[in-house]
Amino acid sequence: MNAFRENLVRDPEGDDYQFFFHVRGNAGVGKTSLVRQWEAVALEQGATTVYLDDSVHSAVEVMEEIGERLGRQGLELRRFDKLLSTFRQRDHEAQSARDTQMAAEDGSVAQPPAASLSGSVAAQVGLVGLGMVPVVGALAGAVDPQQVAQGADRLRAVLGAPIRSTTTYGSSWTRCAA
C-alpha cells in the first residue's frame, strides 16, 4: 500500500511514475479488496480512476466502460467518443461482411446487407461522373448503384477489419492524472 501511496505523489510526467499496477494471485487472497483500497486512496488524493473487473469481456467493452466512467468524473472525451463510434461502425461492417462471406461459403443464400449511406452516395456520384465520359457513359447507366455501394462497403469492411488478438491479460488497474 505504501508503494502505491508514494506513487500518487510523484509527477505523472516523471520517469519513476507507474501508471499500471498488475495484481495476480490465487482466488480468495484479497486481490479485489486491495485494488478497491487503492481506488479509495487514489480518489482521496483527487485522482481520476477506473476500476474494471472480469465482467468486461472485449476490447470494445473496455473502451466503452473507460469512456463512460471517466465521463462521469467530468473528463471530456469527445475525440475518444468519436473514435470509438467509428470503430463500432467499422466493426459492424466487418462483421456483416464476414457473415455474408460465411453464408456464401456454406452454400446458403444470404441477402447482402444494405449499403451504407456514404457508400450509396459515393457510388451514385461516381456513376454520374462516369456517365459524362464518352463511350463509358453509356455503360455507366446500366450499373446498379446499390450493388456498387455494397461492393465498396464489403471492401472497406475487409480492409478495415480489426486484427484479433489471442493474448489474455490478467486484472490490472490504471490511474490517469487529472
Side-chain angles (χ1 to χ4, degrees):
M1 186 63 84
N2 287 335
F4 183 78
R5 285 181 197 272
E6 290 170 9
N7 191 63
L8 281 175
V9 297
R10 291 185 181 133
D11 179 11
E13 300 293 324
D15 291 336
D16 61 344
Y17 188 82
Q18 291 182 316
F19 283 93
F20 296 99
F21 283 81
H22 183 78
V23 178
R24 64 187 176 107
N26 294 331
V29 297
K31 297 179 298 294
T32 301
S33 296
L34 176 62
V35 172
R36 290 294 193 185
Q37 289 174 13
W38 285 349
E39 183 179 34
V41 168
L43 289 170
E44 287 171 7
Q45 298 294 319
T48 303
T49 67
V50 173
Y51 173 82
L52 300 175
D53 58 21
D54 60 358
S55 66
V56 181
H57 301 288
S58 71
V60 174
E61 288 177 4
V62 168
M63 291 185 288
E64 289 170 341
E65 286 293 318
I66 289 173
E68 179 185 323
R69 292 176 190 196
L70 291 177
R72 278 191 259 153
Q73 294 179 53
L75 293 176
E76 296 228 3
L77 302 171
R78 285 187 214 133
R79 185 166 185 260
F80 176 81
D81 290 339
K82 185 177 179 180
L83 289 170
L84 183 57
S85 176
T86 300
F87 179 84
R88 279 192 207 113
Q89 179 183 356
R90 288 185 181 159
D91 187 53
H92 175 73
E93 291 169 357
Q95 184 62 44
S96 295
R98 282 190 292 262
D99 291 347
T100 301
Q101 182 180 7
M102 289 178 67
E105 289 172 358
D106 291 342
S108 60
V109 179
Q111 289 287 49
S116 67
L117 178 61
S118 61
S120 296
V121 170
Q124 289 173 353
V125 169
L127 289 174
V128 168
L130 281 176
M132 296 179 191
V133 176
V135 181
V136 177
L139 298 173
V143 177
D144 180 10
Q146 288 303 307
Q147 288 183 338
V148 173
Q150 288 171 340
D153 286 346
R154 283 192 303 273
L155 179 61
R156 184 180 336 132
V158 169
L159 294 177
I163 299 172
R164 293 180 179 232
S165 172
T166 57
T167 306
T168 303
Y169 296 97
S171 301
S172 63
W173 187 83
T174 67
R175 175 186 176 257
C176 299

